[in-house]
């Protein structure tokens, strides 16, 4: 985590920050590194607004690469990697399309990278998967940016305002997760 923070901080004022952060998301996806941790780190370093922009483009880049790798690996390769969870994820895609992907992105049904790989062998088209990923991940990315930005602000200048944003972000995150879980179980 410290290495990630140092790496991101070294990119902060670089003209290469945008493509480098996208590349970090892709590599992190390949390594099954938690996207939540990466998104929080990006928000801490780049702030709430640019953290969301960099984070969303990075998520879409990672999603695309892993989806395509899933297609190349095919059904047999992924079933060996993922086991029985693969059928549950694929059924969600087949039954619900873009909206199903959006809801799935808000709950921790499986690691982010695994969901991307499985989508590559499912019946969902890449464009629909990316649309669902964007719709589902955008509100979470905004909340992560608020939380990450607030953490950075609290360390720089502790204040009731920054603590309030942090608490509000955490509550919003919990409400999104709770609401999504209710949708899935509905």
């Amino acid at each position: 985590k410290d290495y990630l923070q140092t790496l991101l901080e070294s990119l902060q004022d670089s003209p290469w920050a945008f493509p480098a952060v996208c590349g970090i998301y892709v590599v992190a996806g390949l390594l099954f590194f938690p996207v939540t941790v990466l998104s929080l780190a990006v928000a801490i370093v780049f702030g709430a607004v640019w953290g969301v922009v960099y984070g969303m483009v990075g998520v879409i880049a990672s999603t695309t690469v892993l989806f395509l790798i899933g297609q190349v690996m095919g059904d047999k390769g992924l079933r060996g990697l993922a086991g029985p969870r693969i059928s549950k994820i694929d059924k969600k895609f087949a039954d619900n399309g873009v909206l199903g992907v959006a809801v799935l992105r808000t709950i921790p049904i499986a690691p982010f990278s695994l969901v991307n790989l499985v989508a590559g062998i499912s019946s969902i088209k890449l464009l629909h998967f990316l649309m669902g990923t964007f719709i589902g991940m955008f509100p979470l990315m905004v909340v992560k940016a608020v939380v990450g930005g607030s953490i950075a602000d609290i360390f720089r200048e502790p204040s009731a305002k920054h603590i309030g944003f942090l608490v509000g972000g955490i509550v919003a995150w919990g409400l999104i997760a709770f609401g999504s879980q209710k949708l899935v179980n509905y």
Side-chain angles (χ1 to χ4, degrees):
K1 183 183 165 195
D2 292 333
Y3 175 75
L4 175 62
Q5 186 98 11
T6 304
L7 176 62
L8 290 171
E9 286 171 354
S10 73
L11 295 168
Q12 198 168 16
D13 296 321
S14 167
W16 297 99
F18 191 72
V21 170
C22 288
I24 290 169
Y25 267 90
V26 171
V27 170
L30 293 169
L31 298 173
F32 279 64
F33 187 82
V35 72
T36 297
V37 173
L38 180 55
S39 298
L40 286 170
V42 167
I44 288 169
V45 172
F46 293 100
V49 174
W50 287 109
V52 171
V53 173
Y54 285 17
M56 284 307 302
V57 174
V59 159
I60 295 300
S62 181
T63 297
T64 303
V65 168
L66 286 162
F67 183 99
L68 295 173
I69 289 172
Q71 282 185 328
V72 170
M73 287 178 72
D75 188 50
K76 288 186 187 247
L78 282 176
R79 290 219 187 263
L81 175 70
R85 288 191 290 185
I86 201 167
S87 297
K88 185 177 182 181
I89 297 168
D90 187 29
K91 181 164 176 34
K92 291 284 183 198
F93 293 148
D95 291 348
N96 302 303
V98 173
L99 183 59
V101 172
V103 171
L104 187 68
R105 288 306 199 181
T106 63
I107 57 172
I109 190 171
F112 180 79
S113 296
L114 180 60
V115 172
N116 295 335
L117 288 168
V118 171
I121 62 166
S122 73
S123 55
I124 195 162
K125 291 179 174 30
L126 175 60
L127 180 60
H128 294 157
F129 187 65
L130 292 175
M131 289 168 46
T133 295
F134 185 86
I135 293 166
M137 293 291 295
F138 185 75
L140 286 172
M141 194 64 71
V142 170
V143 169
K144 290 173 193 175
V146 168
V147 170
S150 297
I151 290 169
D153 289 340
I154 288 169
F155 280 109
R156 282 191 294 267
E157 177 191 331
S159 72
K161 174 182 147 188
H162 296 141
I163 292 170
F165 276 119
L166 176 61
V167 171
I170 292 170
V171 168
W173 199 338
L175 289 172
I176 290 170
F178 178 78
S180 297
Q181 192 66 44
K182 287 294 183 194
L183 273 174
V184 168
N185 293 330
Y186 180 65

